[in-house]
């Protein structure tokens, strides 16, 4: 089955700096890669996603890049703000298995 | 537009008991997936329901079972509870044609003593 690895497990940045979180996946059949933000005690919130036929996608301060050959994808947050502090999860979806496989999460802390 | 809802929010059970958790999907969605999230970990897929049938199951024992009703709402049942079943149980809803795009409910936190 699919295996998703996520790094780093913790990340601290100064407000206004950029943050990058990286994930690798194992199943070349995976074709959809969402990112979720989970604040303490709250539900995972879908913040951005990318499909395998696209190399990059941006939404305001957030961007995701995908390298299908290397089987890795990354989340980029620019101009970070304290409210960006949360746990971020990457995931990969394999159509044949009909399931999302999640990474282990990254605790992002934005220091004011 | 109603989002995904789950009940109850918290639950405390003892080992060996049985528990039922409930989920109502986002308005317009017809597919429900259930996940278990242990503390400090990513969600783990339990199973997915569509058209009142289990379509896919993750690596969970058959103590975990589910049901989907004609109104697309769903239940997760866990029998013979173990201490290790303590976790946040999340349901996510999606559309059959876009089942990969999943929206999560707030979860039910289960504590097994």
């Amino acid at each position: 089955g699919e295996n998703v690895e996520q790094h780093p497990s913790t990340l601290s940045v100064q407000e206004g700096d950029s943050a990058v979180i990286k994930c690798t996946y194992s199943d070349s059949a995976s074709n959809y890669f969402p990112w979720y933000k989970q604040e303490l005690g709250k539900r995972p919130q879908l913040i951005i996603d990318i499909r395998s036929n696209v190399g990059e996608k941006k939404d305001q301060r957030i961007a995701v890049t995908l390298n299908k050959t290397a089987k890795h994808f990354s989340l980029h947050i620019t101009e970070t703000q304290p409210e960006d502090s949360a746990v971020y999860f990457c995931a990969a979806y394999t159509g044949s298995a009909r399931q999302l496989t999640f990474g282990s999460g990254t605790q992002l802390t934005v220091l004011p | 537009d109603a989002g995904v809802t789950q009940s109850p929010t918290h639950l405390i059970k003892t080992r060996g008991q049985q528990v039922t958790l409930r989920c109502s999907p986002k308005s317009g969605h017809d597919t429900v997936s259930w996940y278990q999230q242990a503390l400090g970990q990513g969600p783990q897929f339990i199973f997915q329901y569509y058209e009142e049938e289990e379509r896919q199951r993750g690596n969970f024992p058959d103590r975990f079972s589910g049901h989907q009703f004609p109104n697309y709402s769903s239940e997760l049942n866990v029998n013979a509870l173990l201490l290790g079943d303590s976790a946040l149980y999340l349901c996510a809803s999606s559309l059959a044609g876009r089942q990969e795009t999943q929206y999560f409910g707030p979860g039910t936190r289960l504590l097994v003593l």
Side-chain angles (χ1 to χ4, degrees):
Chain A
E2 175 66 282
N3 182 51
V4 176
E5 295 193 356
Q6 182 172 348
H7 301 280
S9 56
T10 61
L11 180 60
S12 292
V13 299
Q14 290 295 135
E15 183 177 358
D17 287 350
S18 295
V20 180
I21 302 170
K22 298 181 179 181
C23 290
T24 60
Y25 62 99
S26 61
D27 190 344
S28 57
S30 291
N31 57 8
Y32 173 75
F33 306 91
W35 286 87
Y36 288 86
K37 174 185 180 182
Q38 188 174 29
E39 296 176 74
L40 191 62
K42 297 194 174 181
R43 73 185 74 195
Q45 177 189 1
L46 178 64
I47 57 171
I48 196 167
D49 55 15
I50 192 167
R51 297 184 185 277
S52 58
N53 59 348
V54 176
E56 183 175 4
K57 183 177 179 180
K58 288 183 180 179
D59 183 3
Q60 300 183 331
R61 297 185 297 109
I62 295 174
V64 57
T65 58
L66 171 65
N67 183 327
K68 285 174 53 180
T69 303
K71 293 184 193 167
H72 65 71
F73 57 112
S74 300
L75 177 71
H76 304 253
I77 306 174
T78 59
E79 300 173 16
T80 54
Q81 302 167 3
E83 52 265 39
D84 294 329
S85 296
V87 178
Y88 291 80
F89 292 99
C90 63
Y93 182 85
T94 309
S96 59
R98 294 195 183 105
Q99 62 178 273
L100 283 172
T101 302
F102 283 81
S104 54
T106 296
Q107 172 70 62
L108 173 64
T109 303
V110 180
L111 304 169
Chain B
D1 181 21
V4 182
T5 60
Q6 292 186 242
S7 64
T9 56
H10 295 81
L11 208 49
I12 300 175
K13 293 286 187 178
T14 57
R15 281 178 298 174
Q17 286 190 311
Q18 178 265 343
V19 68
T20 298
L21 312 182
R22 296 176 177 82
C23 172
S24 290
K26 181 178 169 68
S27 179
H29 284 184
D30 53 13
T31 302
V32 174
S33 302
W34 286 92
Y35 293 83
Q36 180 194 67
Q37 186 177 25
L39 202 60
Q41 298 182 20
Q44 298 284 319
F45 175 75
I46 303 175
F47 42 53
Q48 183 183 88
Y49 275 83
Y50 171 65
E51 291 188 331
E52 303 178 48
E53 291 190 356
E54 182 183 296
R55 298 180 76 184
Q56 195 72 32
R57 171 177 280 263
N59 189 25
F60 279 81
D62 57 11
R63 298 188 297 110
F64 290 76
S65 63
H67 189 78
Q68 186 179 35
F69 299 93
N71 67 353
Y72 309 121
S73 66
S74 178
E75 288 182 350
L76 164 65
N77 301 292
V78 186
N79 294 323
L81 285 167
L82 304 174
L83 296 180
D85 295 331
S86 296
L88 180 67
Y89 288 85
L90 295 161
C91 82
S93 75
S94 56
L95 278 169
R98 292 285 295 266
Q99 59 194 274
E100 68 277 8
T101 306
Q102 300 184 10
Y103 297 89
F104 282 86
T108 294
R109 186 161 297 283
L110 173 65
L111 178 62
V112 182
L113 301 177

